[in-house]
Amino acid sequence: MGCMNGKQDDEKNGKEEKGMKRANTGSAQRGEEARSELAVLSVKTDTKYADEFIQAVGQEVFLRLFSTSLDHDKAKQKDGFMILVEEQDGLSDKQKQDLKRAQEIGLKVFRTYTDDDFLSMKAIRTISATVRSWCDDKDKSGKMDMENIFVGKDGAKKDGEAKP
């Protein structure tokens, strides 16, 4: 699921997209069905955290079932969403553009944010559970606001939850 929306990023994203497709194939072989929704993953380019995030998503049982798109509009048409990965030092200019575009067209955004350079599988599972809950909800009307998910030192949690 490692793609950053934008034609200029296609070459950098090739390895992550191929990796996600391999994960989808593996999931299908285990009897898990690929999802019809499309996902946009907005990460910084060339950071260790982004690389680890992409790898972890490809290994996570539910998140690896999604195909990715470089096109926000296409993702919106397929009832998709965007995972916006905010590192400790904030969003890149490209990620800010991704967020603006997603908000303009009403694409669901799951924003992860952190105060750490370490990413745990617990954090990825929290993100997965949040995305799954939204995807499985038959009535998404009124549920398109951005959801913030903290994945830092104090543990993974959705906004509004008590710290673990």
Side-chain angles (χ1 to χ4, degrees), residues 95-112:
Q95 289 180 294
K96 290 174 185 174
Q97 291 172 355
D98 284 345
L99 177 58
K100 182 179 179 185
R101 180 65 186 140
Q103 291 173 328
E104 286 173 353
I105 65 170
L107 180 65
K108 176 68 175 184
V109 176
F110 297 95
R111 173 187 160 249
T112 71

Side-chain angles (χ1 to χ4, degrees), residues 35 37-38 62 66 75-76 78-82 106-110 128-145 147 158:
R35 302 287 300 211
E37 302 96 331
L38 290 178
F62 181 71
F66 294 92
K76 173 71 176 167
K78 293 283 191 170
D79 295 324
F81 56 90
M82 179 172 77
L107 180 65
K108 176 68 175 184
V109 176
F110 297 95
S128 176
T130 305
V131 171
R132 178 181 284 236
S133 176
W134 179 80
C135 286
D136 290 346
D137 193 336
K138 301 294 183 213
D139 180 18
K140 292 180 177 55
S141 61
K143 299 173 186 162
M144 298 303 287
D145 290 340
E147 290 189 48
K158 290 173 48 176

